[in-house]
Amino acid sequence: MKLCRYGAPGEEKPGLIDADGHIRDLSPHVPDIAGDVLSDRGLDRLRGIDVKTLSVVQTKPRLGPCVGGIGKFMCIGLNYSDHAAETGAEPPEHPILFMKANSAITGPNDDVVMPRGSTSTDWEVELGVIIGTRAKYVSAAEALNHVAGYCTLNDVSERHFQAKISGQWTKGKSCDTFGPTGPWLVTRDEVEDVQNLDMWLDVNGKRMQTGNTKTMIFTVAQIVSHLSQLFTLHPGDVISTGTPPGVGLGMKPEPVYLKEGDVMELEIAGLGRQRQQVKADA
């Protein structure tokens, strides 16, 4: 299934994408794409609904983040071998974890707003993992059983804030609008091999990133297992699993960063496309 949330910010309704690409209204059946709805039992209930009985959303509404009630937004750094190489970093021994503030989360096609003082706002197409059932001390072999599904993410980053203002990476990752999420959640049963998904990102129509999840240093299963040894993962928690090469920071001979008016377009095979216009904060 492909599940989405649509409507004005803060007023999103749950939806299902049918075989023709239309949004069907799920609100008579569930309050949101969140919590227990993300469990295997909750998703099975949705699969049991006759799609033809769901009203088609006739307008072309704004798409919100594809999951509601996100508890933790976790990100893995330097998790692609080819991206680590372009930044000159040694591959990490363990997954590098940082957090992105939930206030950064936006819809997949909402504007990205560069904060005041930004000089180095960058792009990062990433695979998002959405937890469906509570996970604590799980093995890599059982980790994916706790995943509800996957989505496309853009881990927008302000590199000066991230690296030059004393503190942790979170400073450069958590600016408002820096977490476009969606357009939809694709349930794990529809993703044949999560470690073989093509991904790309364009800026103003120019291809900047091209990658595949097969070059991940730590697989999705390893990441979920590792995090579950540190703390409990809850339904609706989101993990952004790292980015392939081609970020602005890694451009030669000099880094290239976003400017007002730029347009980012990005996609992961089978998980949907995003489009954001870049604006400067007033």
Side-chain angles (χ1 to χ4, degrees), residues 39-135:
S39 69
D40 286 349
R41 184 163 54 182
L43 294 174
D44 282 343
R45 283 198 297 267
L46 296 185
R47 291 187 185 96
I49 299 170
D50 183 353
V51 174
K52 295 179 182 178
T53 66
L54 301 174
S55 299
V56 175
V57 178
Q58 298 294 340
T59 60
K60 190 174 181 180
R62 166 191 175 268
L63 289 174
C66 60
V67 61
I70 296 173
K72 297 186 287 292
F73 198 125
M74 300 158 284
C75 303
I76 307 299
L78 297 175
N79 192 37
Y80 282 68
S81 55
D82 35 10
H83 173 55
E86 78 170 340
T87 64
E90 289 293 323
E93 182 179 357
H94 305 287
I96 295 172
L97 174 67
F98 61 92
M99 308 291 276
K100 188 184 281 281
N102 285 16
S103 54
I105 300 168
T106 60
N109 303 314
D110 293 343
D111 292 337
V112 165
V113 181
M114 297 185 298
R116 293 180 184 179
S118 171
T119 60
S120 312
T121 296
D122 204 347
W123 54 84
E124 295 189 16
V125 58
E126 304 204 2
L127 169 70
V129 178
I130 299 164
I131 299 298
T133 55
R134 182 181 181 276

Side-chain angles (χ1 to χ4, degrees), residues 1 3 14 26 29-47 67-71 130-135 145-149 185 187-188 233-237:
M1 287 184 299
L3 304 174
L26 277 174
H29 297 273
V30 292
D32 202 352
I33 307 299
D36 290 341
V37 173
L38 300 169
S39 69
D40 286 349
R41 184 163 54 182
L43 294 174
D44 282 343
R45 283 198 297 267
L46 296 185
R47 291 187 185 96
V67 61
I70 296 173
I130 299 164
I131 299 298
T133 55
R134 182 181 181 276
N145 294 332
H146 295 269
V147 172
L185 180 162
T187 52
R188 74 172 188 270
L233 299 173
H234 295 282
D237 285 350

